[in-house]
Amino acid sequence: MSAGMNRSQGLSSLKRKQPDSKSPIESLTEHERILYNLIRSKQDMAIWTRDMKRETNIPDNVLNKSLKSLQAKKLIKEVVTIQNKGRKHYIATEFEPSKEITGGAWYVEGSLDTEFINFLKKHCVKIIYEQKIVTLEEILDTIRRSRAFNVEFTTQQIEEIVNALVLDNEILEVKSTGMGEFNSIPIGKVCYRCASKAGLKAEPKIGAMASIPCGVCPQISLCTPDGIISPTTCVYYTKWLDF
Amino acid sequence: MATPYGIKLAVHLITNHFGTLVAKVCDNLLRRGPLTLQQVIRYTELTPQQVKNSLLILIQHNCVQAFTLESQGGFGDGPKANTQYLALFSNILHRMRFPKFLEIVSRELDQECKELLEGLLQNGRLTLVQMVERAKSKRKDGCREDAVREGLTKLLAAHFVERCPAPEPLVPEQVKVETTSKKRGTKSAKINEESETIEQRVLAAAGPMEAQRFSMITNTEFDVNGETSTDDSPSLIVGEKRKRDSLELDRESTAEEGEVVLWRANFEEFLRRLRHMACIENVRASLDDGAVKVLKAKLDATRGLEKKVKTEKSVPLSLDNIFEEVIKSEEGRVMTLDDVRASLVQLGCPASARGTADSYSIDLKKIIESAQNDEVESIVLKRYGRDAYRIFRLLSKNGRLVETDKISDTTFVEKKDAPKILYKMWKDEYLHMEKLVLAPNRNILLWKVNKRPLWEHVLDEMFHAALNLSLRAAYEWDKEKEVINPLEAMTKEERLKQKNIRILLDSSLLKLDDAIMLFHNF
């Protein structure tokens, strides 16, 4: 599964924070040493090449050559920041880029890994639908046992996904009463069930206001009975009534 | 409360039913609050006779209530009384819903009752004699006065009809409390608060005593002096015998009886029924049939005991009584006591394994709020998209200010997209925003959903949409009537299409009106 494969590098690498002790620090040139110390001083926040030039006054060609050398020696690595994807940022290898610049576990190369997230969401909904009512730990357990992904998820990560599903109104968060369908779950424990009785394919009910052109109209505040935008001249109405 | 578009909609309804002169008077009363006759004449620039006639029509149809505010005059004068006229915004809007009220009576009572109610809705208010006359003129085979009396009795028993209020009650001056006026913010909020209080006070002063409200027995049999003896408020005067010097209502009086009672539709009861129906429908969508049966049974059993329409919790009832009510219907008989208990838990009642004598009360306010949330969230989803829907739900559930970054993290929205979506919703007044300045170039934006102002804003948009639907329907109807020449007459398909258009517009308005009631009346 390609989605899983890509993610294994992203997620599992976030967990490893061991410094590489075999780096040849001694064989650095003067410029390389200055740059390396500067990059290291920024710790997990990384630094933009332009900022490096400003702080060290090293000319461009020397700067680039030094950075290439440091990279080859595996002392620094390039990272993409979510705020400025086009600008080259560098970080010392012993640091993992902070959440502020990567966006967090769900970001890949500066963008939200939407495909993976949606896949994981659908998988969770399926688990909840099949088991009718389920706790967070049970979801995590089912995912682990299913071996559908070759990465380990933390409880927090699954909780984030499940919370997003609650916000999508695809599932409901409920508290166990210990009775009936909550039989095996301790009273008060948070669990999840599908929001709609129809299950996976159900569409949320459209409200009265949302069913008419005015409900979704971006110009409603400009519309008046006799104005340029009015119900009698409205193109959305004409389209809606043209069936 | 009367929002800007609410007023426009109300005036539109009055124009359609009674013409532009009456609408002008109504418009002034809605926008300016209670006015005296002289003030109305001055603001509308109509003749005194035109204004008087308009007010008479509006009072006849329960859209305006006259009252006298007791106020202290200047030095040396005694307390002065000046008749003022108050527009009843909610009652004007009810004119859109008459078909719904008729349908309720048709379903619960019989055809005779429905026709009686129709007469009351069409004429505003009638005496029993007028009702009989109307029934006679409608039926070619003649009709028995008993049948009409019987129909009226049934309607009164179900509280669908009530006695008309006093024509001009005396409302005592309210003792002003200093602290409350200082707390109020904007001027318009103050006017709204004050006028709401005035409306409540006037209606309370005008309304007949509960014991008399739904009783056929005339006043003369109750008391002699024209003053009610068990009444708490000394200002309540049952107005039939009181001398009036300003307006004379067109009313019959029979010498023998001495008292003639005017009857009108009791909007409060219809609203209560519709509110119960809305609760049941909402529960049907989110829970199972068992819960629906139990809720319906409980509401049916305790309807007569509810004090006001916007009751927060249903009247407490024991499990035994609930079960008794449930098994009255055929579908209910399949339920066991345990089923009923489980349904009550589903409806939010705390689980109790003790006896069957425990009282259960269902939180109706929560059901209504959930329906309101669904409606607003549906608008957000359709208008701004799925990402915005998640964001809105997060802020709505949270109830507190949340930072942009936290919002994009929790809702899985791209960090660069979140601010754009939030800004769009804020510009349309769906979100509240606050800026936190941490350093010269470091600002953090915080966002929140403020339910009360948002609900008012959504309601105003709904009034606007209802007005639009109504205007478009009128426009389409005019288009159809423009075809005069038979040669140019519409083809069968065109006629069918116009018919379908009208059906769509009418049904959309009825559905939207349910949503309006959800926010305004329930």
Side-chain angles (χ1 to χ4, degrees), chain A residues 82 99 106-107 112 166-169 197 207-211 215-216 220 223 231-232 237 240 242, chain B residues 5 284 287 375 378 382-383 386 389-390 393 409 412 414-415 461 464 468-469 472 475 497 508 511:
Chain A
I82 50 163
K99 196 161 168 283
W106 305 105
Y107 278 80
L112 210 51
V166 170
L167 291 178
D168 271 323
N169 209 9
K197 290 186 276 190
M209 184 72 171
S211 322
V216 303
I220 189 169
C223 162
T232 46
Y237 257 102
W240 183 53
D242 187 20
Chain B
Y5 264 98
R284 196 191 300 277
L287 298 177
E375 186 67 42
S378 185
K382 282 269 160 174
R383 210 185 268 184
R386 194 143 264 285
Y389 176 71
R390 275 202 300 280
R393 275 172 60 82
D409 281 341
F412 288 95
E414 286 269 8
K415 286 209 193 290
E461 282 191 353
H464 190 167
N468 283 353
L469 278 169
R472 185 71 189 218
Y475 168 74
K497 188 180 173 192
S508 298
K511 199 173 158 203

Side-chain angles (χ1 to χ4, degrees), chain A residues 191-204:
Chain A
C191 22
Y192 303 92
R193 58 137 64 97
C194 273
S196 148
K197 290 186 276 190
L200 298 170
K201 294 271 186 287
E203 284 289 317

Side-chain angles (χ1 to χ4, degrees), chain A residues 1-10 113 115-124 126 143-151 153:
Chain A
M1 175 169 327
S2 59
M5 292 295 279
N6 285 338
R7 293 307 301 158
S8 63
Q9 291 165 356
D113 194 352
E115 198 189 308
F116 179 69
I117 292 166
N118 286 337
F119 181 79
L120 184 52
K121 274 163 110 179
K122 277 202 181 67
H123 197 83
C124 289
K126 191 151 164 281
I143 291 177
R144 209 175 276 141
R145 280 186 286 114
S146 76
R147 296 177 189 277
F149 303 88
N150 36 12
V151 278
F153 294 109

